[in-house]
Amino acid sequence: MSKDDNTKVAIANNFIHNIINDDLEQGTYGEKVVTRFPPEPNGYLHIGHAKSICLNFTTAEKYKGYCNLRYDDTNPAKEDVEYVDSIEEDVKWLGFQWENRLWASDYFDKMYEAAVELIKLGKAYVCSLSADEIRKYRGTLTEPGKESPYRNQSVEENLKLFEEMKEGIYKDGEKVLRAKIDMTSPNMNMRDPVIYRIAHSSHHNTGDKWCIYPMYDFAHPIEDAIEGITHSICTMEFEDHRPLYDWVLDTLGWWNPQPKQIEFARLNLTNTVMSKRYLKAMVDDGTVEGWDDPRMPTIAGLRRRGYTPQAIRDFCERIGVAKANSTVDIGLLEFCVREDLKAKVESRNVVENPIKVVITNYPEGQIEELTIENNREVPELGERKVPFSREIYIDGADFMENPVKKYFRLFPGNEVRLKGAYFITCNEVIKNEDGTIKELHCTYDPQTRSGSGFEGRKVKGTIHFVEASTAVPITVRNYDYLMVDDENGEMVLNENSKNECMAYAEPSIKDAKAGERFQFFRHGYYIADAKLTDNNNKVFNRIVDLKSSFKLPK
Ligand code: ATP
Ligand code: MG
């Protein structure tokens, strides 16, 4: 039986904790540690977000502070309640609880006030250059920028123009509000960045109240400061924006102490694309069956695939937090879920592409109940009864008519052990008219019954079976990676990522509940699909196979 208890993952110290330790020592924020997770509600969360979620929530937890969930909705582009609901479900499923749920758009008034204050301080101006002109004036990494002709407008003129922007007198793009910083700065973000733009679009929260919207770099420090965030943790691409983050807060001087932005490297994973835009395109064009398709790297997809919150949290802890970008082997994520499941789930016998076996010397009409341990490594998980009779199924992969070298499973003339039952020997292959295998005729040796202590002879192969008259047909979905590398090392869609087959399972599978996990003996870890499994249909997703070549780095 699978359990979703939130086994706490040990949290190692990282460079962010070092910064916080220094702040605590110096009393920068008193005793407080407050973080936030700020998703833009424009898609489902993915495993990359999980890294950020784990980091923000566990950091706050470690210091007995708290973490806010704040929707970054400063962009009036369509936001969807579906996304908001999924974000909350996913954060909770990972085992975290936010202190406050907030919307950046709730601070629009304060942001407007801050913009007016910057104008009054002579630190912001309304610029009437076009977007193209602004780009040209900005200069390049090797050349300084040129000052806008509007840069030295009077404070009164700027106040009037900004007010008019707000009143809706101008069209989108006709004017912008820019911070007045330094057109020669080596940091392009400091060359009079745009901090407010005109967008005549309604906003899901504020409706048509505003036709001007703050830019991320201006809005984010203000959001953090209003909420009393102490450490604003974000990904490396914002490193060059930090001077602007600090400039906004320093220039306003409204908050003391001010939040501190800290950057870390985003998660990249082999065989995985992690841009919401790309994932959304795959959902929209039907490449996948939705955001929660079990092949998707979304939290919803991983959940449906059978991943546990513990496995994901363990993974996020193991990858650590650093400043250098790197790509993590997806084998590590798989390792984490195997580690989590191996001591928790029961085993079941399932045979794919089944071949019927008739045991010719076994009494007709007799059914015997064999006892099999549920989890070899965890005796507390108990045992179960598995029927055995004259007719059974074995896995298609466990028989070869013409065996290759070192093939120890069943082939004509060979003897193998049936796990939990007897030794059987294959004597005859019965074919259909078309040459395909109809059934195998075998004999068993009654002396070799499992548990009888038989030591007469050894066999090299052990295979498993499902009794034929009680076998339950199920659907098994053996997934492969959605993305693979082509010969040029480019990530491309894998055309064969979903492999569905029919299988037979031992009768106890009838009781499997949607969302229940098992080890299918010798096959891998599986979950009864949450959407497709009911009393009549059993559909199982392969969470992960049993073994891999992946080695934990030392
Ligand atoms: P995407 O590029 O996938 O659309 P995003 O960064 O635009 O993602 P947001 O909703 O803005 O998505 O992200 C919310 C938070 O999650 C941000 O703090 C962001 O830095 C973080 N985040 C997003 N992707 C990753 C990742 N791959 N690794 C770590 N953190 C990430
Ligand atoms: Mg974003």
Side-chain angles (χ1 to χ4, degrees):
M1 223 157 300
S2 63
K3 288 181 263 167
D4 272 345
D5 62 323
N6 269 306
T7 314
K8 284 268 154 55
V9 167
I11 307 301
N13 220 41
N14 61 44
F15 82 91
I16 295 177
H17 300 148
N18 296 341
I19 295 174
I20 296 177
N21 291 339
D22 284 349
D23 282 333
L24 288 173
E25 210 163 283
Q26 288 158 25
T28 320
Y29 302 100
E31 305 270 277
K32 256 186 13 173
V33 174
V34 183
T35 59
R36 86 283 172 268
F37 172 64
E40 196 178 337
N42 60 352
Y44 278 57
L45 299 179
H46 52 59
I47 182 74
H49 293 114
K51 178 176 180 181
S52 173
I53 293 168
C54 289
L55 185 54
N56 278 296
F57 280 92
T58 59
T59 299
E61 234 166 62
K62 180 179 162 97
Y63 293 97
K64 306 199 166 41
Y66 61 82
C67 180
N68 287 343
L69 172 63
R70 182 206 306 144
Y71 293 109
D72 172 13
D73 64 343
T74 49
N75 188 341
K78 198 173 163 286
E79 324 271 347
D80 210 313
V81 278
E82 179 193 352
Y83 297 143
V84 169
D85 291 346
S86 77
I87 287 168
E88 292 175 20
E89 182 182 2
D90 291 349
V91 173
K92 283 193 215 153
W93 179 75
L94 284 171
F96 297 113
Q97 182 55 57
W98 51 88
E99 180 83 4
N100 305 294
R101 189 192 72 159
L102 305 152
W103 297 85
S105 56
D106 286 338
Y107 312 135
F108 279 168
D109 286 311
K110 195 75 182 171
M111 290 172 192
Y112 177 77
E113 207 184 300
V116 170
E117 175 75 4
L118 289 185
I119 296 173
K120 286 183 182 160
L121 292 167
K123 296 290 185 185
Y125 61 98
V126 173
C127 182
S128 305
L129 293 177
S130 69
D132 258 356
E133 286 166 327
I134 289 181
R135 201 171 312 120
K136 277 193 205 114
Y137 274 65
R138 187 171 292 139
T140 64
L141 283 174
T142 50
E143 273 169 60
K146 215 165 67 177
E147 292 189 353
S148 158
Y150 303 96
R151 197 175 201 262
N152 294 315
Q153 263 159 197
S154 68
V155 168
E156 289 66 37
E157 181 71 2
N158 284 319
L159 284 173
K160 176 177 144 276
L161 291 171
F162 190 50
E163 176 74 17
E164 287 173 357
M165 278 171 65
K166 175 175 168 258
E167 294 309 318
I169 292 176
Y170 306 111
K171 291 197 287 289
D172 290 8
E174 214 178 317
K175 293 197 181 334
V176 290
L177 184 70
R178 297 175 69 177
K180 190 172 178 177
I181 309 180
D182 179 4
M183 288 308 290
T184 65
S185 171
N187 182 340
M188 303 288 282
N189 296 307
M190 299 298 273
R191 294 186 186 174
D192 291 11
V194 174
I195 57 175
Y196 253 96
R197 66 188 172 114
I198 301 169
H200 289 273
S201 359
S202 349
H203 187 280
H204 76 102
N205 184 17
T206 55
D208 292 322
K209 176 173 175 190
W210 300 94
C211 63
I212 54 172
Y213 292 94
M215 303 300 285
Y216 179 91
D217 282 342
F218 175 67
H220 210 83
I222 295 177
E223 295 158 20
D224 286 343
I226 292 173
E227 289 175 22
I229 303 300
T230 56
H231 300 86
S232 177
I233 303 170
C234 63
T235 40
M236 282 311 289
E237 64 271 24
F238 293 102
E239 190 177 33
D240 289 346
H241 298 239
R242 187 179 353 123
L244 179 51
Y245 182 101
D246 291 337
W247 182 91
V248 169
L249 297 176
D250 291 343
T251 309
L252 288 169
W254 285 355
W255 293 279
N256 185 27
Q258 292 170 6
K260 179 177 285 180
Q261 177 180 304
I262 306 170
E263 310 85 16
F264 71 99
R266 60 196 295 129
L267 170 67
N268 299 306
L269 258 188
T270 56
N271 295 92
T272 310
V273 245
M274 248 179 294
S275 121
K276 270 187 269 182
R277 201 158 15 98
Y278 191 96
L279 297 177
K280 182 169 191 311
M282 288 200 289
V283 171
D284 291 344
D285 70 15
T287 303
V288 293
E289 289 155 28
W291 285 98
D292 67 348
D293 185 300
R295 294 165 293 178
M296 288 282 268
T298 51
I299 310 283
L302 290 165
R303 174 167 60 236
R304 192 160 167 209
R305 177 72 173 263
Y307 271 79
T308 57
Q310 297 88 319
I312 293 174
R313 288 174 64 159
D314 181 32
F315 170 74
C316 290
E317 184 54 30
R318 284 175 190 266
I319 56 180
V321 188
K323 285 225 171 235
N325 277 310
S326 64
T327 300
V328 175
D329 190 329
I330 194 159
L332 179 60
L333 182 60
E334 297 168 350
F335 169 88
C336 291
V337 74
R338 259 186 230 111
E339 278 297 292
D340 187 37
L341 295 180
K342 72 178 183 198
K344 287 187 184 165
V345 303
E346 294 184 7
S347 160
R348 292 289 182 268
N349 278 357
V350 171
V351 293
E352 292 178 7
N353 308 308
I355 300 178
K356 183 176 258 188
V357 170
V358 181
I359 301 165
T360 51
N361 61 339
Y362 193 89
E364 252 172 277
Q366 175 174 314
I367 291 203
E368 162 175 16
E369 295 271 301
L370 302 166
T371 302
I372 296 194
E373 69 249 288
N374 283 325
N375 184 321
R376 183 177 234 170
E377 271 127 75
V378 189
E380 302 85 76
L381 286 177
E383 296 172 333
R384 69 185 187 284
K385 298 283 188 213
V386 170
F388 182 78
S389 78
R390 182 182 161 89
E391 293 196 356
I392 61 173
Y393 290 109
I394 63 166
D395 201 278
D398 286 339
F399 177 77
M400 273 186 114
E401 192 169 4
N402 300 299
V404 293
K405 253 198 191 146
K406 298 207 168 162
Y407 187 82
F408 300 123
R409 291 171 259 172
L410 200 60
F411 56 85
N414 193 39
E415 185 174 46
V416 297
R417 176 200 311 271
L418 287 179
K419 167 83 177 164
Y422 301 93
F423 289 10
I424 58 166
T425 304
C426 177
N427 304 309
E428 204 180 352
V429 184
I430 314 293
K431 300 274 178 77
N432 294 306
E433 265 173 27
D434 64 1
T436 54
I437 296 174
K438 178 166 179 260
E439 58 192 34
L440 306 176
H441 285 185
C442 296
T443 45
Y444 85 118
D445 178 353
Q447 286 190 81
T448 58
R449 192 180 205 269
S450 174
S452 68
F454 174 76
E455 283 189 15
R457 61 187 182 278
K458 296 220 175 333
V459 287
K460 279 194 167 151
T462 297
I463 66 173
H464 64 286
F465 67 93
V466 170
E467 197 277 324
S469 69
T470 53
V472 180
I474 63 171
T475 303
V476 165
R477 306 198 292 189
N478 289 319
Y479 293 108
D480 196 354
Y481 300 121
L482 191 54
M483 307 300 295
V484 285
D485 286 341
D486 69 5
E487 56 276 16
N488 305 318
E490 295 278 327
M491 238 196 291
V492 293
L493 199 68
N494 177 5
E495 300 295 338
N496 302 307
S497 55
K498 184 177 163 187
N499 304 295
E500 199 168 281
C501 71
M502 180 270 168
Y504 279 127
E506 60 174 269
S508 68
I509 211 78
K510 280 200 293 259
D511 304 326
K513 306 268 177 308
E516 198 171 353
R517 299 178 183 88
F518 300 97
Q519 186 197 103
F520 286 175
F521 186 60
R522 298 176 59 228
H523 277 293
Y525 292 100
Y526 286 79
I527 187 168
D529 188 89
K531 282 189 174 166
L532 303 176
T533 300
D534 55 32
N535 285 336
N536 302 316
N537 284 306
K538 303 287 176 202
V539 179
F540 287 87
N541 303 324
R542 184 169 66 195
I543 308 167
V544 69
D545 48 12
L546 289 177
K547 283 196 203 90
S548 84
S549 54
F550 174 78
K551 292 263 182 322
L552 263 195
K554 290 266 151 53

